[in-house]
mmCIF file of all heavy atoms in Angstrom:
data_model
loop_
_atom_site.group_PDB
_atom_site.id
_atom_site.type_symbol
_atom_site.label_atom_id
_atom_site.label_comp_id
_atom_site.label_asym_id
_atom_site.label_seq_id
_atom_site.Cartn_x
_atom_site.Cartn_y
_atom_site.Cartn_z
ATOM 1 N N LEU A 4 1.381 8.441 1.388
ATOM 2 C CA LEU A 4 1.860 9.804 1.266
ATOM 3 C C LEU A 4 2.272 10.307 2.682
ATOM 4 O O LEU A 4 1.456 10.294 3.552
ATOM 5 C CB LEU A 4 0.728 10.725 0.711
ATOM 6 C CG LEU A 4 1.123 12.172 0.592
ATOM 7 C CD1 LEU A 4 2.250 12.411 -0.446
ATOM 8 C CD2 LEU A 4 -0.071 13.079 0.215
ATOM 9 N N ASP A 27 6.779 2.683 -3.253
ATOM 10 C CA ASP A 27 5.757 3.382 -3.964
ATOM 11 C C ASP A 27 5.244 4.605 -3.193
ATOM 12 O O ASP A 27 4.245 5.229 -3.549
ATOM 13 C CB ASP A 27 4.521 2.516 -4.268
ATOM 14 C CG ASP A 27 4.906 1.360 -5.165
ATOM 15 O OD1 ASP A 27 5.712 1.563 -6.059
ATOM 16 O OD2 ASP A 27 4.366 0.242 -4.891
ATOM 17 N N ASP A 28 5.942 4.997 -2.135
ATOM 18 C CA ASP A 28 5.504 6.101 -1.252
ATOM 19 C C ASP A 28 5.854 7.439 -1.828
ATOM 20 O O ASP A 28 6.674 7.543 -2.753
ATOM 21 C CB ASP A 28 6.136 6.001 0.152
ATOM 22 C CG ASP A 28 5.569 4.847 0.957
ATOM 23 O OD1 ASP A 28 4.623 4.186 0.534
ATOM 24 O OD2 ASP A 28 6.105 4.626 2.084
ATOM 25 N N GLY A 29 5.221 8.451 -1.308
ATOM 26 C CA GLY A 29 5.515 9.866 -1.696
ATOM 27 C C GLY A 29 5.747 10.655 -0.462
ATOM 28 O O GLY A 29 5.248 10.341 0.621
ATOM 29 N N VAL A 30 6.444 11.753 -0.631
ATOM 30 C CA VAL A 30 6.707 12.708 0.467
ATOM 31 C C VAL A 30 6.255 14.090 0.068
ATOM 32 O O VAL A 30 6.623 14.554 -0.969
ATOM 33 C CB VAL A 30 8.235 12.725 0.848
ATOM 34 C CG1 VAL A 30 8.478 13.824 1.862
ATOM 35 C CG2 VAL A 30 8.710 11.385 1.331
ATOM 36 N N LEU A 31 5.399 14.691 0.862
ATOM 37 C CA LEU A 31 4.950 16.067 0.636
ATOM 38 C C LEU A 31 5.515 16.942 1.718
ATOM 39 O O LEU A 31 5.333 16.755 2.895
ATOM 40 C CB LEU A 31 3.425 16.145 0.722
ATOM 41 C CG LEU A 31 2.840 17.545 0.555
ATOM 42 C CD1 LEU A 31 3.201 18.186 -0.740
ATOM 43 C CD2 LEU A 31 1.314 17.531 0.829
ATOM 44 N N LEU A 32 6.303 17.926 1.275
ATOM 45 C CA LEU A 32 6.958 18.856 2.183
ATOM 46 C C LEU A 32 6.108 20.140 2.214
ATOM 47 O O LEU A 32 5.831 20.720 1.137
ATOM 48 C CB LEU A 32 8.338 19.200 1.705
ATOM 49 C CG LEU A 32 9.247 17.967 1.551
ATOM 50 C CD1 LEU A 32 10.557 18.412 0.840
ATOM 51 C CD2 LEU A 32 9.565 17.339 2.881
ATOM 52 N N CYS A 33 5.678 20.550 3.366
ATOM 53 C CA CYS A 33 4.964 21.828 3.516
ATOM 54 C C CYS A 33 5.519 22.551 4.732
ATOM 55 O O CYS A 33 6.223 22.031 5.560
ATOM 56 C CB CYS A 33 3.451 21.548 3.654
ATOM 57 S SG CYS A 33 2.941 20.451 4.933
ATOM 58 N N ALA A 37 9.822 22.465 3.789
ATOM 59 C CA ALA A 37 10.314 22.840 2.423
ATOM 60 C C ALA A 37 11.841 23.119 2.395
ATOM 61 O O ALA A 37 12.487 23.007 1.337
ATOM 62 C CB ALA A 37 9.547 24.036 1.901
ATOM 63 N N LEU A 40 14.568 20.926 0.673
ATOM 64 C CA LEU A 40 14.916 20.986 -0.711
ATOM 65 C C LEU A 40 16.180 21.766 -0.987
ATOM 66 O O LEU A 40 16.728 21.750 -2.071
ATOM 67 C CB LEU A 40 13.819 21.610 -1.538
ATOM 68 C CG LEU A 40 12.434 20.866 -1.584
ATOM 69 C CD1 LEU A 40 11.425 21.651 -2.316
ATOM 70 C CD2 LEU A 40 12.633 19.507 -2.126
ATOM 71 N N LEU A 49 17.400 13.229 0.534
ATOM 72 C CA LEU A 49 16.113 13.255 -0.261
ATOM 73 C C LEU A 49 16.376 12.909 -1.712
ATOM 74 O O LEU A 49 15.672 12.128 -2.348
ATOM 75 C CB LEU A 49 15.432 14.569 -0.120
ATOM 76 C CG LEU A 49 14.359 14.683 0.863
ATOM 77 C CD1 LEU A 49 13.781 16.113 0.873
ATOM 78 C CD2 LEU A 49 13.193 13.751 0.652
ATOM 79 N N SER A 53 15.037 9.904 -3.836
ATOM 80 C CA SER A 53 14.065 10.335 -4.838
ATOM 81 C C SER A 53 13.997 9.422 -6.054
ATOM 82 O O SER A 53 13.075 9.531 -6.862
ATOM 83 C CB SER A 53 14.224 11.767 -5.219
ATOM 84 O OG SER A 53 15.426 11.956 -5.984
ATOM 85 N N THR A 54 15.015 8.562 -6.227
ATOM 86 C CA THR A 54 14.937 7.598 -7.311
ATOM 87 C C THR A 54 13.844 6.642 -7.010
ATOM 88 O O THR A 54 13.951 5.872 -6.073
ATOM 89 C CB THR A 54 16.292 6.884 -7.462
ATOM 90 O OG1 THR A 54 17.336 7.831 -7.668
ATOM 91 C CG2 THR A 54 16.303 5.911 -8.628
ATOM 92 N N GLY A 55 12.795 6.711 -7.777
ATOM 93 C CA GLY A 55 11.576 5.883 -7.496
ATOM 94 C C GLY A 55 10.659 6.387 -6.485
ATOM 95 O O GLY A 55 9.597 5.846 -6.230
ATOM 96 N N LEU A 56 11.011 7.491 -5.837
ATOM 97 C CA LEU A 56 10.170 8.128 -4.788
ATOM 98 C C LEU A 56 9.622 9.459 -5.362
ATOM 99 O O LEU A 56 10.413 10.177 -6.016
ATOM 100 C CB LEU A 56 11.028 8.450 -3.539
ATOM 101 C CG LEU A 56 10.390 9.255 -2.459
ATOM 102 C CD1 LEU A 56 9.269 8.433 -1.733
ATOM 103 C CD2 LEU A 56 11.412 9.716 -1.442
ATOM 104 N N SER A 57 8.415 9.705 -5.135
ATOM 105 C CA SER A 57 7.825 11.016 -5.486
ATOM 106 C C SER A 57 7.960 12.044 -4.360
ATOM 107 O O SER A 57 7.494 11.746 -3.268
ATOM 108 C CB SER A 57 6.374 10.793 -5.864
ATOM 109 O OG SER A 57 6.284 10.005 -6.971
ATOM 110 N N VAL A 58 8.629 13.157 -4.605
ATOM 111 C CA VAL A 58 8.808 14.213 -3.666
ATOM 112 C C VAL A 58 8.013 15.427 -4.178
ATOM 113 O O VAL A 58 8.198 15.859 -5.263
ATOM 114 C CB VAL A 58 10.292 14.572 -3.484
ATOM 115 C CG1 VAL A 58 10.433 15.703 -2.500
ATOM 116 C CG2 VAL A 58 11.119 13.359 -3.006
ATOM 117 N N TYR A 59 7.153 15.947 -3.284
ATOM 118 C CA TYR A 59 6.285 17.109 -3.592
ATOM 119 C C TYR A 59 6.511 18.133 -2.568
ATOM 120 O O TYR A 59 6.945 17.904 -1.416
ATOM 121 C CB TYR A 59 4.817 16.695 -3.563
ATOM 122 C CG TYR A 59 4.438 15.475 -4.386
ATOM 123 C CD1 TYR A 59 4.373 14.217 -3.746
ATOM 124 C CD2 TYR A 59 4.180 15.596 -5.690
ATOM 125 C CE1 TYR A 59 4.067 13.100 -4.477
ATOM 126 C CE2 TYR A 59 3.855 14.521 -6.486
ATOM 127 C CZ TYR A 59 3.802 13.222 -5.846
ATOM 128 O OH TYR A 59 3.486 12.096 -6.614
ATOM 129 N N VAL A 60 6.265 19.382 -2.986
ATOM 130 C CA VAL A 60 6.347 20.536 -2.026
ATOM 131 C C VAL A 60 5.134 21.459 -2.358
ATOM 132 O O VAL A 60 4.822 21.638 -3.522
ATOM 133 C CB VAL A 60 7.705 21.269 -2.127
ATOM 134 C CG1 VAL A 60 7.901 21.870 -3.534
ATOM 135 C CG2 VAL A 60 7.861 22.304 -1.038
ATOM 136 N N LEU A 61 4.580 22.005 -1.323
ATOM 137 C CA LEU A 61 3.517 22.987 -1.592
ATOM 138 C C LEU A 61 4.188 24.233 -2.153
ATOM 139 O O LEU A 61 5.133 24.784 -1.594
ATOM 140 C CB LEU A 61 2.816 23.306 -0.245
ATOM 141 C CG LEU A 61 1.744 22.364 0.236
ATOM 142 C CD1 LEU A 61 1.197 22.821 1.546
ATOM 143 C CD2 LEU A 61 0.616 22.252 -0.819
ATOM 144 N N ASP A 62 3.711 24.622 -3.344
ATOM 145 C CA ASP A 62 4.330 25.674 -4.047
ATOM 146 C C ASP A 62 4.392 27.049 -3.223
ATOM 147 O O ASP A 62 5.440 27.739 -3.253
ATOM 148 C CB ASP A 62 3.740 25.927 -5.402
ATOM 149 C CG ASP A 62 2.204 26.125 -5.435
ATOM 150 O OD1 ASP A 62 1.597 26.272 -4.322
ATOM 151 O OD2 ASP A 62 1.610 26.126 -6.472
ATOM 152 N N GLU A 63 3.367 27.322 -2.523
ATOM 153 C CA GLU A 63 3.403 28.629 -1.829
ATOM 154 C C GLU A 63 4.401 28.587 -0.613
ATOM 155 O O GLU A 63 4.917 29.625 -0.281
ATOM 156 C CB GLU A 63 2.011 29.064 -1.331
ATOM 157 C CG GLU A 63 1.463 28.283 -0.162
ATOM 158 C CD GLU A 63 0.096 28.800 0.264
ATOM 159 O OE1 GLU A 63 -0.685 29.221 -0.581
ATOM 160 O OE2 GLU A 63 -0.138 28.866 1.498
ATOM 161 N N ASP A 64 4.661 27.397 -0.064
ATOM 162 C CA ASP A 64 5.583 27.358 1.038
ATOM 163 C C ASP A 64 7.046 27.458 0.491
ATOM 164 O O ASP A 64 7.916 28.107 1.150
ATOM 165 C CB ASP A 64 5.434 26.022 1.854
ATOM 166 C CG ASP A 64 4.157 26.005 2.589
ATOM 167 O OD1 ASP A 64 3.637 27.052 2.958
ATOM 168 O OD2 ASP A 64 3.623 24.907 2.879
ATOM 169 N N ALA A 65 7.345 26.785 -0.634
ATOM 170 C CA ALA A 65 8.648 27.031 -1.240
ATOM 171 C C ALA A 65 8.877 28.426 -1.699
ATOM 172 O O ALA A 65 9.962 28.992 -1.471
ATOM 173 C CB ALA A 65 8.814 26.045 -2.454
ATOM 174 N N GLU A 66 7.840 29.053 -2.295
ATOM 175 C CA GLU A 66 7.947 30.418 -2.765
ATOM 176 C C GLU A 66 8.134 31.377 -1.588
ATOM 177 O O GLU A 66 9.022 32.297 -1.652
ATOM 178 C CB GLU A 66 6.712 30.794 -3.566
ATOM 179 C CG GLU A 66 6.769 32.129 -4.166
ATOM 180 C CD GLU A 66 5.547 32.490 -5.059
ATOM 181 O OE1 GLU A 66 5.024 31.576 -5.623
ATOM 182 O OE2 GLU A 66 5.146 33.650 -4.951
ATOM 183 N N ILE A 70 12.842 29.162 -1.927
ATOM 184 C CA ILE A 70 13.457 27.894 -2.236
ATOM 185 C C ILE A 70 13.201 27.503 -3.633
ATOM 186 O O ILE A 70 12.045 27.404 -4.067
ATOM 187 C CB ILE A 70 12.999 26.815 -1.263
ATOM 188 C CG1 ILE A 70 13.350 27.129 0.142
ATOM 189 C CG2 ILE A 70 13.637 25.445 -1.621
ATOM 190 C CD1 ILE A 70 12.681 26.293 1.184
ATOM 191 N N ALA A 71 14.309 27.335 -4.452
ATOM 192 C CA ALA A 71 14.164 26.916 -5.821
ATOM 193 C C ALA A 71 13.795 25.430 -5.856
ATOM 194 O O ALA A 71 14.231 24.617 -5.032
ATOM 195 C CB ALA A 71 15.479 27.133 -6.575
ATOM 196 N N LEU A 72 12.974 25.006 -6.783
ATOM 197 C CA LEU A 72 12.497 23.647 -6.908
ATOM 198 C C LEU A 72 13.487 22.851 -7.610
ATOM 199 O O LEU A 72 13.825 23.130 -8.857
ATOM 200 C CB LEU A 72 11.150 23.647 -7.667
ATOM 201 C CG LEU A 72 10.446 22.302 -7.746
ATOM 202 C CD1 LEU A 72 10.011 21.878 -6.357
ATOM 203 C CD2 LEU A 72 9.269 22.392 -8.741
ATOM 204 N N PRO A 73 14.114 21.828 -6.999
ATOM 205 C CA PRO A 73 15.052 20.955 -7.751
ATOM 206 C C PRO A 73 14.340 20.046 -8.797
ATOM 207 O O PRO A 73 13.132 19.897 -8.666
ATOM 208 C CB PRO A 73 15.693 20.103 -6.617
ATOM 209 C CG PRO A 73 14.746 20.161 -5.539
ATOM 210 C CD PRO A 73 13.948 21.441 -5.634
ATOM 211 N N GLU A 74 15.070 19.524 -9.759
ATOM 212 C CA GLU A 74 14.428 18.765 -10.809
ATOM 213 C C GLU A 74 13.846 17.448 -10.267
ATOM 214 O O GLU A 74 12.929 16.962 -10.958
ATOM 215 C CB GLU A 74 15.476 18.470 -11.915
ATOM 216 C CG GLU A 74 16.555 17.450 -11.550
ATOM 217 C CD GLU A 74 17.698 18.042 -10.662
ATOM 218 O OE1 GLU A 74 17.764 19.258 -10.517
ATOM 219 O OE2 GLU A 74 18.488 17.241 -10.178
ATOM 220 N N TRP A 75 14.210 17.000 -9.133
ATOM 221 C CA TRP A 75 13.732 15.691 -8.625
ATOM 222 C C TRP A 75 12.468 15.899 -7.697
ATOM 223 O O TRP A 75 11.972 14.955 -7.124
ATOM 224 C CB TRP A 75 14.793 14.978 -7.847
ATOM 225 C CG TRP A 75 15.650 15.792 -6.932
ATOM 226 C CD1 TRP A 75 16.795 16.370 -7.198
ATOM 227 C CD2 TRP A 75 15.336 16.150 -5.594
ATOM 228 N NE1 TRP A 75 17.250 17.113 -6.124
ATOM 229 C CE2 TRP A 75 16.383 16.960 -5.106
ATOM 230 C CE3 TRP A 75 14.264 15.787 -4.697
ATOM 231 C CZ2 TRP A 75 16.451 17.449 -3.805
ATOM 232 C CZ3 TRP A 75 14.339 16.307 -3.342
ATOM 233 C CH2 TRP A 75 15.359 17.154 -2.954
ATOM 234 N N ALA A 76 11.943 17.127 -7.606
ATOM 235 C CA ALA A 76 10.733 17.361 -6.829
ATOM 236 C C ALA A 76 9.693 18.019 -7.673
ATOM 237 O O ALA A 76 10.031 18.648 -8.718
ATOM 238 C CB ALA A 76 11.111 18.259 -5.605
ATOM 239 N N GLN A 77 8.408 17.912 -7.216
ATOM 240 C CA GLN A 77 7.307 18.528 -7.972
ATOM 241 C C GLN A 77 6.597 19.481 -7.079
ATOM 242 O O GLN A 77 6.395 19.186 -5.904
ATOM 243 C CB GLN A 77 6.264 17.427 -8.426
ATOM 244 C CG GLN A 77 6.871 16.425 -9.360
ATOM 245 C CD GLN A 77 5.817 15.327 -9.636
ATOM 246 O OE1 GLN A 77 4.664 15.649 -9.869
ATOM 247 N NE2 GLN A 77 6.230 14.127 -9.660
ATOM 248 N N SER A 78 6.192 20.560 -7.600
ATOM 249 C CA SER A 78 5.440 21.575 -6.878
ATOM 250 C C SER A 78 3.902 21.316 -7.068
ATOM 251 O O SER A 78 3.479 20.961 -8.122
ATOM 252 C CB SER A 78 5.763 22.967 -7.506
ATOM 253 O OG SER A 78 4.921 23.966 -6.994
ATOM 254 N N VAL A 79 3.197 21.455 -5.923
ATOM 255 C CA VAL A 79 1.723 21.246 -5.975
ATOM 256 C C VAL A 79 1.036 22.428 -5.236
ATOM 257 O O VAL A 79 1.635 23.004 -4.324
ATOM 258 C CB VAL A 79 1.275 19.919 -5.389
ATOM 259 C CG1 VAL A 79 1.789 18.756 -6.189
ATOM 260 C CG2 VAL A 79 1.650 19.784 -3.927
ATOM 261 N N ASP A 80 -0.177 22.718 -5.576
ATOM 262 C CA ASP A 80 -0.936 23.694 -4.912
ATOM 263 C C ASP A 80 -1.918 22.934 -3.909
ATOM 264 O O ASP A 80 -1.799 21.643 -3.802
ATOM 265 C CB ASP A 80 -1.781 24.599 -5.801
ATOM 266 C CG ASP A 80 -2.687 23.850 -6.730
ATOM 267 O OD1 ASP A 80 -2.884 22.608 -6.568
ATOM 268 O OD2 ASP A 80 -3.151 24.474 -7.700
ATOM 269 N N TYR A 81 -2.787 23.617 -3.248
ATOM 270 C CA TYR A 81 -3.669 22.921 -2.276
ATOM 271 C C TYR A 81 -4.594 21.903 -2.936
ATOM 272 O O TYR A 81 -4.868 20.848 -2.368
ATOM 273 C CB TYR A 81 -4.428 23.964 -1.439
ATOM 274 C CG TYR A 81 -3.590 24.488 -0.315
ATOM 275 C CD1 TYR A 81 -3.023 25.771 -0.388
ATOM 276 C CD2 TYR A 81 -3.295 23.758 0.768
ATOM 277 C CE1 TYR A 81 -2.223 26.301 0.603
ATOM 278 C CE2 TYR A 81 -2.488 24.187 1.813
ATOM 279 C CZ TYR A 81 -1.950 25.508 1.693
ATOM 280 O OH TYR A 81 -1.136 25.983 2.716
ATOM 281 N N GLY A 83 -3.792 20.219 -5.590
ATOM 282 C CA GLY A 83 -2.877 19.106 -5.786
ATOM 283 C C GLY A 83 -2.667 18.299 -4.536
ATOM 284 O O GLY A 83 -2.523 17.098 -4.562
ATOM 285 N N PHE A 84 -2.563 18.951 -3.392
ATOM 286 C CA PHE A 84 -2.463 18.234 -2.111
ATOM 287 C C PHE A 84 -3.632 17.320 -1.936
ATOM 288 O O PHE A 84 -3.480 16.115 -1.543
ATOM 289 C CB PHE A 84 -2.339 19.301 -1.012
ATOM 290 C CG PHE A 84 -2.077 18.764 0.356
ATOM 291 C CD1 PHE A 84 -1.888 19.633 1.388
ATOM 292 C CD2 PHE A 84 -2.079 17.405 0.677
ATOM 293 C CE1 PHE A 84 -1.628 19.223 2.694
ATOM 294 C CE2 PHE A 84 -1.792 16.933 1.991
ATOM 295 C CZ PHE A 84 -1.577 17.884 2.988
ATOM 296 N N ALA A 86 -5.637 16.102 -4.199
ATOM 297 C CA ALA A 86 -5.552 15.029 -5.228
ATOM 298 C C ALA A 86 -4.502 13.915 -4.821
ATOM 299 O O ALA A 86 -4.782 12.796 -4.977
ATOM 300 C CB ALA A 86 -5.138 15.603 -6.586
ATOM 301 N N LEU A 87 -3.366 14.376 -4.251
ATOM 302 C CA LEU A 87 -2.357 13.400 -3.777
ATOM 303 C C LEU A 87 -2.926 12.551 -2.590
ATOM 304 O O LEU A 87 -2.767 11.340 -2.567
ATOM 305 C CB LEU A 87 -1.165 14.076 -3.269
ATOM 306 C CG LEU A 87 -0.246 14.727 -4.362
ATOM 307 C CD1 LEU A 87 0.855 15.520 -3.700
ATOM 308 C CD2 LEU A 87 0.361 13.611 -5.260
ATOM 309 N N HIS A 90 -5.057 10.002 -4.143
ATOM 310 C CA HIS A 90 -4.311 9.067 -4.965
ATOM 311 C C HIS A 90 -3.627 7.967 -4.094
ATOM 312 O O HIS A 90 -3.658 6.759 -4.535
ATOM 313 C CB HIS A 90 -3.221 9.844 -5.808
ATOM 314 C CG HIS A 90 -2.246 8.952 -6.472
ATOM 315 N ND1 HIS A 90 -2.562 8.303 -7.634
ATOM 316 C CD2 HIS A 90 -0.977 8.642 -6.196
ATOM 317 C CE1 HIS A 90 -1.501 7.591 -8.060
ATOM 318 N NE2 HIS A 90 -0.533 7.762 -7.138
ATOM 319 N N TYR A 91 -3.021 8.329 -2.992
ATOM 320 C CA TYR A 91 -2.315 7.338 -2.209
ATOM 321 C C TYR A 91 -3.307 6.572 -1.311
ATOM 322 O O TYR A 91 -4.378 7.087 -0.923
ATOM 323 C CB TYR A 91 -1.278 8.041 -1.318
ATOM 324 C CG TYR A 91 -0.044 8.459 -2.108
ATOM 325 C CD1 TYR A 91 0.014 9.682 -2.764
ATOM 326 C CD2 TYR A 91 1.036 7.581 -2.300
ATOM 327 C CE1 TYR A 91 1.114 10.054 -3.510
ATOM 328 C CE2 TYR A 91 2.117 7.954 -3.037
ATOM 329 C CZ TYR A 91 2.197 9.158 -3.652
ATOM 330 O OH TYR A 91 3.271 9.518 -4.373
#
Side-chain angles (χ1 to χ4, degrees):
L4 177 65
D27 298 321
D28 289 355
V30 174
L31 174 64
L32 305 170
C33 55
L40 297 178
L49 262 178
S53 71
T54 304
L56 171 72
S57 297
V58 178
Y59 308 96
V60 63
L61 279 178
D62 53 7
E63 74 176 38
D64 291 334
E66 185 178 323
I70 298 168
L72 187 68
E74 71 282 349
W75 44 267
Q77 298 176 42
S78 168
V79 296
D80 57 12
Y81 281 103
F84 185 174
L87 288 172
H90 171 77
Y91 284 90

